[in-house]
Amino acid sequence: MHKQYFIALIFLLSQFNFAQAPKKPSCAEIYESIQKLNFLGSVLYVAAHPDDENTHLISYFANDVHAQTAYISLTRGDGGQNLIGPELRELLGVIRTQELLQARRIDGGEQFFTRANDFGYSKNPEETFQFWDKEEVLSDLVYVIRKFQPDVIINRFDHRTPGTTHGHHTASAMLSVEAFDLAANSSAFPEQLKKFSTWQPKRLFWNQSWFFYGSQEKFEKADKTNLFVMDIGSYYPTLGLSNSEIAAKSRSQHSSQGFGATAVRGTAIEYLEPIKGGMPKNDVFEGIDTSWNRVKGGKAIGEILSKVEREFDFTNPSKSVPELIKAYQLILKLEDKHWRQIKLEEIKNIIYHCSGLFLEAVAKEPYTTVGGNADVKIEAINRSDLSIKLNEIQLEKFNKDLKPNQAYRSDRTLVSSAFLKPSSPYWLEEKGSLGMYKVSDEKLIGLPEAPPPYSVLFNLNILGQDFHLEKPVVYKYNDPAKGETYKPFVILPEVSVNVEEKVLIFGDQSSQRIPVKVKAFTDDLKGNLSLKAPDGWKISPENLEVSLSAKGEEKTFWFEVNPPKNQSEGELIPQLKVGIGTYENQLIEINYDHIPEQKVLLPGSAKLVKIDIEKKGEKIGYIMGAGDSVPENLRQIGYQVEIISPQNITAENLDRLDAVVLGIRAFNVIPELKFKNKILFEYVKNGGNLVVQYNTSRDVLTEEVAPFPLTLSRDRVTDENSEVKFLDKNHPVLNIPNKITSKDFEGWVQERGLYFPDNWSKEFTPILSMNDKGEAPMKGSLLVAKYGKGYYVYTGLSFFRELPEGVPGAYRLLANILSLGK
């Protein structure tokens, strides 16, 4: 019978990612979870970014020790680069969040975050705390410690060496040392005590490694008498994997950073320096009772579960269910709320999997809208000989025996609550600052993502014991190539509205036709579309009628935008009025094979920039490196940009171009440049103009990145407001066709530049000098060399960040670089 129900939001504070296929563990994995059920101890690993974590240690504590193990990354890695696509800043943070979640699913850990925003590289913690609100980040860290209650905390970085590594790194360690004691102090962040009690971890370590010493050789010679030494190269026969293999697979989830890893099997030594709590002799949990005796009433539970572990039948795990239910009934009575909650969830999942149960709620479509409906298929099946009754599904009462291997299926229609918000990463819902995300709902703080919008509650009786099991509503379909495929079931707004070009550059008084894309997520959408612009800008027509008949339909609407006479910057905001509501956001979809599909709502606006800019030359060839949006930005100022694949780097293809630009990190990620660099240099020699953007000094594929000697370094200027001095004021790059002044370096974002060369031959002319506070001037940010009839330019200036942000001076300077020799 097809019935209609309202399914309320069930706010799960779990780590379940609703884009994933349901976990179907093997008997070996079930056995491992039983072993974990018998261990009552926790470890928290602390660092600053996605990829900072030591997956070897996390896997070891989760899979060998069977401890509750978690990693807290203070940021989501929003300020880094992206090796797999064009997403930067907030969207990159979404990708890296999911990469961390994928890593934790593999190594067995949990994942937490703070509200700190990765604003980019900083050279010391003092600079970091100019952007991070130290009290808020510290509060979040204390919150997670009180919630997770780690016995042991391990820092990735040293809190005593500011200025020797990324400022975020040292800051993470400094905050961890402070939080170690504050978590036990009832006067620190007392509002948290309404939900959690104070907690004092027992030990704090710094996880040392050779890279803190500069080389493996130096580390081998270092005094290690103050270090606790662990061999974590374990092999797990039930899983058929070594700890290193699990860790390497976990590490390899950081695809956006190019951190694929290969396992090295055998002995693997880790070093921990005690910071607080003293040096253990044999075990980091030394002196801590990690058995069931740790909690009042736990002895009997431990005895039952030890028996379950000893007698586990790998051919029929359902035999363990009667004893597991006895333990479950005792855990229900525990006074210790923390361990009761954790172990109830663990044992309930073990009983579920041992019973051969499968429960699922699958939406027929991937989304519904706020206040809309969604058809859902319910499935429940018992694949064991146990006596299991289905008592209730959400609001509908049953008293149905689930007979072995006979599925119960039914259909429902969900009615979305008008109070639910559209699905989007929760930390992006409110406008924060450069260094901090704003999260008003304290229940979300620390979580990697919001819980799924809908869950269906199944009430069952297994061997006389009632169980409540919640299953998120998911979307599942059959892909002809991949087969059964899961995607998130999400709530969307009625419509997405988006100015397609995110930066609109006007170099003269000419108007531009601007496309605005509208996509409906509901049927029969009708509305009125207009553009809101700053004073002085003229838009025609004033508005347009919008009519979309079916959900999924998309149309493009055109407006004429006329710039003011004088220089101007501002936002162009699309506004679509539908009924009594006004929509201004666009829906962005992120699709990569290694993470679940992500849907992100961000403002659909664009930046308007009227600048005084001239250019010479028309045709630009662009060779993509690690991924950026510079080609689109160059088209904005009138260049004809052709993307050239590495295979098509030939003299014939290059000679017809006015300039060729290499994308960021091209010499790090394009193997063909080991031999095709000669073709590029020959192009310059024959009168071309080659512009090479920054490459990292490590993992350069060839030493010949230029026709003359040039050495890359890690030099960078992180202060985007640092003073820029002109070393050769008469050089064409500062004068033709645009006169570059200090004003052109105003309004830059995140940084001036990175990985500047620090040594170059006499053929190069350094153009600019800049430095961070307290440092010597750096002259390698922009180097120009005449080679034959043409020009070779190497620049570490962060054009890949400035152009998408519509920084006028960056456009003017890049236009001059591309105009050299014209």
Side-chain angles (χ1 to χ4, degrees), residues 225 253 325 385 461 670 810:
T225 55
Q253 300 312 301
I325 287 176
D385 293 328
N461 184 284
I670 303 177

Side-chain angles (χ1 to χ4, degrees), residues 446-458:
L447 294 180
E449 58 184 345
Y454 288 115
S455 290
V456 171
L457 180 64
F458 294 82

Side-chain angles (χ1 to χ4, degrees), residues 200-213:
Q200 180 60 69
K202 304 302 187 295
R203 291 191 177 93
L204 175 66
F205 295 97
W206 168 34
N207 180 198
Q208 286 204 26
S209 179
W210 67 264
F211 54 76
F212 293 110
Y213 290 75

